[in-house]
Amino acid sequence: MQVAVIGANGAIGRCVVTEALARGHRVTAVVRRPEEYQGLAISVERGDVLDPADVARVAAGREAVVSAVGGGDGPGRGRLVEPAAHALVAGLRRLADAAPRLLVVGSAGSLLTASGAPLWDDPSVTPRQFELMRAHGRALDYLRTVRDLDWTVLSPPQNLLPGERTGAYRSATDALVTTPDGLSALSLADLAVALVDELEHPAHHGERFTCAY
């Protein structure tokens, strides 16, 4: 497939590019500063996820667009997430029937824990984490109103860590995936596996899913 990865310079984006390339897909890395991009890719393009015209340009002629723009963990970075969802939709709508599939990396915050409450209500969540989680939650709420595009959101587990690619994971839709002792974790490489699996074998059209060991 021809795939554009927006946010390819981030930790998740780099893993997605690597995984997709390893499976033979033709990946374009879309970043704000191409001159600083040092990862793998078939091609590198400048693009702004907040600009619908840029989104439409990099998406044209491709089968899928992956947004790995998470907002980072700096103060106020959560303000990027919700506007990015709106710009992605606006940009893809410019392509009408030729719009590619959209896969967005979200957040674990709105996933439901064993108590039935969203993870962002957990006392261990810091104010900075809460801000970013709620921004992703609003972006997901918006995408759930979109009926004219083929979109999927992948919410990572509670703990997303560096580590080896195993290719193993368990998935769910709106519930946090945990081990019997309550751990919810996955390596960055295996999150990329789950995302590219969904790209190749679509199972979550117009909905969110999540995964963990």
Side-chain angles (χ1 to χ4, degrees), residues 12 16 105 154-157 160 186-196 211:
I12 294 174
V16 170
V105 179
L154 170 56
S155 286
L160 192 56
L186 195 69
S187 71
L188 285 160
D190 281 332
L191 184 78
V193 170
L195 190 145
V196 179
C211 55

Side-chain angles (χ1 to χ4, degrees), residues 67-78:
S67 174
V69 178
D73 59 0
R77 291 301 300 277

Side-chain angles (χ1 to χ4, degrees), residues 2 29 46 87 126 157 161 197:
Q2 294 277 357
R46 185 185 307 275
T126 68
L161 309 168
D197 282 350

Side-chain angles (χ1 to χ4, degrees), residues 19-210:
E19 180 68 23
L21 285 172
R23 300 201 202 181
H25 301 295
R26 298 184 61 81
V27 183
T28 296
V30 182
V31 294
R32 286 179 296 172
R33 292 180 289 274
E35 64 278 4
E36 297 179 6
Y37 183 71
Q38 298 180 352
L40 301 172
I42 296 297
S43 61
V44 182
E45 292 188 20
R46 185 185 307 275
D48 182 355
V49 73
L50 297 180
D51 184 345
D54 263 9
V55 172
R57 176 179 55 79
V58 301
R62 296 189 165 92
E63 283 89 357
V65 170
V66 175
S67 174
V69 178
D73 59 0
R77 291 301 300 277
R79 289 192 292 269
L80 171 68
V81 174
E82 188 178 4
H86 286 263
L88 285 163
V89 169
L92 294 184
R93 280 175 170 163
R94 295 187 181 196
L95 302 178
D97 291 343
R101 189 172 180 212
L102 174 63
L103 293 93
V104 177
V105 179
S107 161
S110 60
L111 292 170
L112 301 179
T113 64
S115 70
L119 180 62
W120 60 45
D121 284 349
D122 191 282
S124 66
V125 173
T126 68
R128 184 176 294 181
Q129 290 171 330
F130 181 80
E131 174 193 8
L132 192 55
M133 286 177 172
R134 289 305 296 263
H136 276 289
R138 292 190 297 271
L140 176 59
D141 286 343
Y142 168 66
L143 287 171
R144 282 173 166 161
T145 71
V146 174
R147 299 286 184 265
D148 56 330
L149 297 173
D150 186 3
W151 61 268
T152 300
V153 171
L154 170 56
S155 286
Q158 184 173 7
N159 299 295
L160 192 56
L161 309 168
E164 296 183 359
R165 179 193 188 281
T166 70
Y169 60 88
R170 295 176 297 130
S171 61
T173 51
D174 292 319
L176 191 71
V177 177
T178 64
T179 60
D181 59 0
L183 179 65
S184 176
L186 195 69
S187 71
L188 285 160
D190 281 332
L191 184 78
V193 170
L195 190 145
V196 179
D197 282 350
E198 175 66 23
L199 176 67
E200 294 180 341
H201 306 287
H204 300 282
H205 296 284
E207 68 177 15
R208 179 260 299 276
F209 78 107
T210 185

